[in-house]
């Protein structure tokens, strides 16, 4: 197979067909799912791997899932394929955080072998965030768990379907252990539909072009991905680059926790060494090694070739090293519910280390945290239980030649969307009092950091509870080349009696009664370049548009403005002295 030559036309057709299969799987899952976290937010991923578990294509969605599918399939191969226990129609379910592509238990993966002419030629795989997998709190992922057993059902790479026959006992167990079985099982069946779509289309591809051509093309495409990555590495400045930062808290009152990286760049390798970072902690901010790999892969793509079609060949030059049992490579039974706090921090360290030397590819720091919210209670009209499970948008850092973008998801969430106000007010027992940009003047620079947002939910019934995990609450989005830091992620509770509680970063099950408002405020990104270098006309425009106050324009940028017309009156002595 490896020696077989494939003409360039067939190679291109197979490549585009694989991408199309991944996209069709993605749309199939989204359009047949039951949970808003999937069909509105797009918290899932779909793709194909070869028979060894090497990623071939992945439908757009969560950037934090880049690589998760490969690990899931490799775990399946190790457990079943090597002992010839796979049959046509098998589907394996897996959410083990410590292996098998784990993130947290809520992200449930399904894997299906694809047979052609009696041989496993590929795998169809997906991973989706279920609204519920059981555990001690509604929504399953919580920020005060102390071990994995509090976080929900664990599926340790077992067969959901055996030769096409569903394991009904397992389905019954799921139904009995989750709070919203219609949602969780509905999403499971949507995943099954997506897998079968991938199986059917891949078999059709083999039928049309021949198995040998398809498999040889896959080999070429993986090698081509590696060649492209290595070519881009030669454009980077060789050297050793280091960065450190802190993870705020573990949700249990402990912290902060120092984390660090040493990045070694050569013409052939890109090595990220996280050794020396904090050991795994009591609370659920730990992540598995798989999660760290996924987050670093995202940054690696941004550094090398962000437009490159993803396959495992692209990542062959990348090496990731960490200490076993660290906050970046947690071991059983460490809790991992809010794994993104450490996983994203790992990717951010590589970003921070290389941003000064790659201003055309990497911006200043952004709000980073998924800023997750789970809010549960009774609906004010139907009196039925409801559950909000959603991430929050925030501000990104400025970069060379451009201001930071406003109101976007963090890098780990990738190409996802926020919950529309109309959906929130219809499906849940809340009213959305405010959804606006946070214009706090932070992230000052020649190019300014993007604004975070303010999103306020008013409880419409008594006895609601909200769990909020807003990392990067104490250690702010960092600036580059003289740019200032951004602002923290935080939330407040404005009670019906007029009292205000907060600000908080991480809080489990804050009680809300009718009329109480939880005010979610995400951070502004870091600035790029010295603020006094920002053109006076832009400062005036920023102030007129409400991103700055007149006072901030003078204090941070050295521009004195007329408070009524926002016209430029003069430059301060400090600004004048800044320029030779």
């Amino acid at each position: 197979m490896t020696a077989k030559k494939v003409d360039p036309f067939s190679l291109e057709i197979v490549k585009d067909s694989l991408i199309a299969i991944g996209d069709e799987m993605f749309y199939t899952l989204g359009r047949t799912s039951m949970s808003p976290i999937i069909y509105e937010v797009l918290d899932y991923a779909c793709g194909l791997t070869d028979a060894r578990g090497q990623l071939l294509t992945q439908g757009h969605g969560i950037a934090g899932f880049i690589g998760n599918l490969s690990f899931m399939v490799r775990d399946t191969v190790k457990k079943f394929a090597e002992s010839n226990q796979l049959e046509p129609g098998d589907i394996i379910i897996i959410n083990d955080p410590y292996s098998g592509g784990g993130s947290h238990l809520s992200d449930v993966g399904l894997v299906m072998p694809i047979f052609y002419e009696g041989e496993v030629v590929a795998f169809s795989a997906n991973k989706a965030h279920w609204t519920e997998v059981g555990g001690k709190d509604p929504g399953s992922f919580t920020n005060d768990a102390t071990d994995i057993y509090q976080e929900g059902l664990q599926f340790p790479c077992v067969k959901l379907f055996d030769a096409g026959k569903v394991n009904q006992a397992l389905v019954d167990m799921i139904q009995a252990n989750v709070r919203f079985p219609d949602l969780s099982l509905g999403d499971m069946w949507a995943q099954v539909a997506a897998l079968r779509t991938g199986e059917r289309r891949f078999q059709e591809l083999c039928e049309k072009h021949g198995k040998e051509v398809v498999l040889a093309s896959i080999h070429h495409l993986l090698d081509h991905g590696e060649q492209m990555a290595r070519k881009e590495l030669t454009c980077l400045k060789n050297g050793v680059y280091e960065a450190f930062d802190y993870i705020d808290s573990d949700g249990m009152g402990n912290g902060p926790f120092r984390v660090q990286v040493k990045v070694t760049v050569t013409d052939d390798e890109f090595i990220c060494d996280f050794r020396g970072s904090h050991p795994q902690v009591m609370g659920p901010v730990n992540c598995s090694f798989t999660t760290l790999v996924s987050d670093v892969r995202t940054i690696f793509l941004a550094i090398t070739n962000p437009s490159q079609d993803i396959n495992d060949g692209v990542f062959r030059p990348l090496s990731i090293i960490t200490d076993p049992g660290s906050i970046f490579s947690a071991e059983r039974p460490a809790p991992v519910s809010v794994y993104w706090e450490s996983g994203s921090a790992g990717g951010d360290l590589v970003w921070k280390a290389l941003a000064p030397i790659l201003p055309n590819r990497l911006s200043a720091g952004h709000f980073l945290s998924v800023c997750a919210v789970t809010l549960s209670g009774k609906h004010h009209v139907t009196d039925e239980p409801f559950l909000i499970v959603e991430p929050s948008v925030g501000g990104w850092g400025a970069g060379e030649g451009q201001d930071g973008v406003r109101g976007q998801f963090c890098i780990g969430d990738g190409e996802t969307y926020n919950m529309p106000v109309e959906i929130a007010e219809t499906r849940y027992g809340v009213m959305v009092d405010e959804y606006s940009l946070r214009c706090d003047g932070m992230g000052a620079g020649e190019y300014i950091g993007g604004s975070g947002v303010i999103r306020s939910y008013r409880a419409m019934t008594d006895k609601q509870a909200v769990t909020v995990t807003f990392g990067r609450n104490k250690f702010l989005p960092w600036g580059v080349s003289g740019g200032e830091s951004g602002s923290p992620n935080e939330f407040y509770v404005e009670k019906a009696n007029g009292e205000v509680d907060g600000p908080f970063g991480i809080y489990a099950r804050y009680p809300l009664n009718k009329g109480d408002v939880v005010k979610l405020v995400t951070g502004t990104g870091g600035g790029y370049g010295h603020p006094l270098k920002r053109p006076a006309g832009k400062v005036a425009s920023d102030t007129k548009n409400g991103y700055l106050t007149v006072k901030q324009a003078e204090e941070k940028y050295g521009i004195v403005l007329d408070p009524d017309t926002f016209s430029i009156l003069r430059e301060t002595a400090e600004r004048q002295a800044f320029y030779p």
Side-chain angles (χ1 to χ4, degrees), residues 28-40 129-131 180-191 427-428:
T28 298
L29 201 165
R31 290 175 179 176
T32 55
S33 64
M34 296 293 289
S35 298
I37 189 68
I38 294 179
Y39 65 74
E40 290 287 353
H129 185 119
W130 287 13
T131 297
F180 297 88
D182 290 345
L183 297 182
S184 296
L185 291 178
D187 295 337
M188 182 193 77
W189 287 112
Q191 289 179 260
R427 294 282 301 260
Y428 310 128

Side-chain angles (χ1 to χ4, degrees), residues 409-433:
F409 279 111
C410 69
I411 191 167
D413 267 334
E415 295 183 6
T416 52
Y417 298 90
N418 59 193
M419 193 71 68
V421 170
E422 296 82 359
I423 297 294
E425 292 188 337
T426 302
R427 294 282 301 260
Y428 310 128
V430 298
M431 291 289 287
V432 181
D433 279 9

Side-chain angles (χ1 to χ4, degrees), residues 8-26:
F9 300 102
S10 296
L11 187 64
E12 192 70 16
I13 289 169
V14 171
K15 176 179 75 72
D16 289 346
S17 297
L18 292 173
I19 294 171
I21 293 169
D23 289 343
E24 186 176 357
M25 292 171 64
F26 188 82

Side-chain angles (χ1 to χ4, degrees), residues 115-196:
F115 284 79
Y116 188 78
E117 296 178 348
E119 175 189 359
V120 176
V121 290
F123 285 89
S124 178
N126 56 46
K127 180 184 279 285
H129 185 119
W130 287 13
T131 297
E132 258 284 330
V133 289
K136 74 183 187 68
D137 284 354
S140 303
F141 68 90
T142 185
N143 54 31
D144 66 348
T146 55
D147 61 50
I148 191 68
Y149 307 106
Q150 299 174 3
E151 298 180 336
L153 287 168
Q154 299 179 60
F155 305 118
C157 196
V158 294
K159 287 190 177 184
L160 176 63
F161 281 78
D162 195 344
K165 183 179 180 180
V166 68
N167 183 346
Q168 190 58 46
L170 181 55
V171 174
D172 292 345
M173 285 291 291
I174 295 171
Q175 185 168 19
N177 281 277
V178 302
R179 295 171 178 83
F180 297 88
D182 290 345
L183 297 182
S184 296
L185 291 178
D187 295 337
M188 182 193 77
W189 287 112
Q191 289 179 260
V192 170
L195 292 183
R196 289 174 172 166

Side-chain angles (χ1 to χ4, degrees), residues 232 298-310 360-361:
E232 290 295 326
T298 304
I299 301 298
F300 179 76
L301 280 173
I303 289 169
T304 54
N305 191 354
S307 63
Q308 173 73 23
D309 296 321
I310 298 172
N360 61 325
R361 287 282 173 94

Side-chain angles (χ1 to χ4, degrees), residues 29-105:
L29 201 165
R31 290 175 179 176
T32 55
S33 64
M34 296 293 289
S35 298
I37 189 68
I38 294 179
Y39 65 74
E40 290 287 353
V41 176
L42 309 186
D43 193 348
Y44 67 102
C46 298
L48 297 170
T49 77
D50 69 359
R52 295 167 52 198
Q54 297 183 97
L55 185 68
L56 306 178
T57 181
Q58 183 162 322
H60 296 299
I62 295 294
F65 287 167
I66 294 174
N68 277 194
L69 302 185
S70 304
F71 282 89
M72 284 164 41
V73 174
R74 288 170 189 167
D75 211 43
T76 299
V77 169
K78 182 178 180 180
K79 185 170 183 178
F80 294 105
E82 292 178 358
S83 53
N84 296 316
Q85 296 182 59
L86 289 178
E87 299 181 68
D90 283 356
I91 295 179
I92 287 81
I93 185 169
I94 180 170
N95 69 346
D96 184 350
Y98 314 106
S99 65
S103 44
H104 61 175
L105 297 180

Side-chain angles (χ1 to χ4, degrees), residues 376-573:
S376 60
K378 289 289 184 73
H379 196 283
H380 53 290
V381 176
T382 66
D383 202 37
E384 293 293 322
F386 75 88
L387 176 64
I388 296 175
V389 179
E390 65 180 11
S392 306
V393 298
W396 277 62
E400 184 180 59
Q402 62 181 17
D403 293 339
V405 292
R406 304 176 177 97
Q408 299 294 312
F409 279 111
C410 69
I411 191 167
D413 267 334
E415 295 183 6
T416 52
Y417 298 90
N418 59 193
M419 193 71 68
V421 170
E422 296 82 359
I423 297 294
E425 292 188 337
T426 302
R427 294 282 301 260
Y428 310 128
V430 298
M431 291 289 287
V432 181
D433 279 9
E434 179 182 7
Y435 198 20
S436 64
L437 291 176
R438 178 189 192 177
C439 299
D440 57 7
M442 300 297 286
E446 180 181 5
Y447 300 97
I448 62 174
S451 301
V453 302
I454 301 171
R455 188 172 174 106
S456 297
Y457 287 136
R458 180 178 298 273
M460 302 300 288
T461 54
D462 290 335
K463 297 181 180 178
Q464 296 188 10
V466 63
T467 294
V468 180
T469 308
F470 277 25
R472 192 152 267 184
N473 171 254
K474 299 175 182 176
F475 298 91
L476 307 178
W478 36 271
V480 173
S481 298
E484 295 185 2
S485 299
S487 52
N489 303 310
E490 56 195 358
F491 79 98
Y492 303 79
V493 177
E494 299 172 344
K495 299 186 178 181
N497 62 8
E499 296 178 5
V500 178
D501 202 5
F504 303 107
I506 297 179
Y507 203 109
R509 299 174 303 280
Y510 193 107
L512 302 174
N513 289 312
K514 185 175 180 179
D516 292 345
V517 175
V518 56
K519 188 173 185 177
L520 307 163
V521 185
T522 58
T524 295
Y528 183 95
H530 199 286
L532 294 179
K533 293 176 68 177
R534 189 165 180 81
K538 285 189 175 182
V539 176
S541 179
D542 295 335
T543 309
K544 183 177 181 180
N545 288 327
Y547 300 128
L548 300 174
T549 65
V550 171
K551 183 178 180 181
Q552 288 168 342
E554 180 177 355
E555 291 180 347
K556 291 180 177 290
Y557 297 92
I559 302 297
V560 180
L561 300 173
D562 185 301
D564 298 317
T565 65
F566 304 110
S567 58
I568 300 169
L569 298 179
R570 59 183 175 85
E571 296 183 0
T572 64

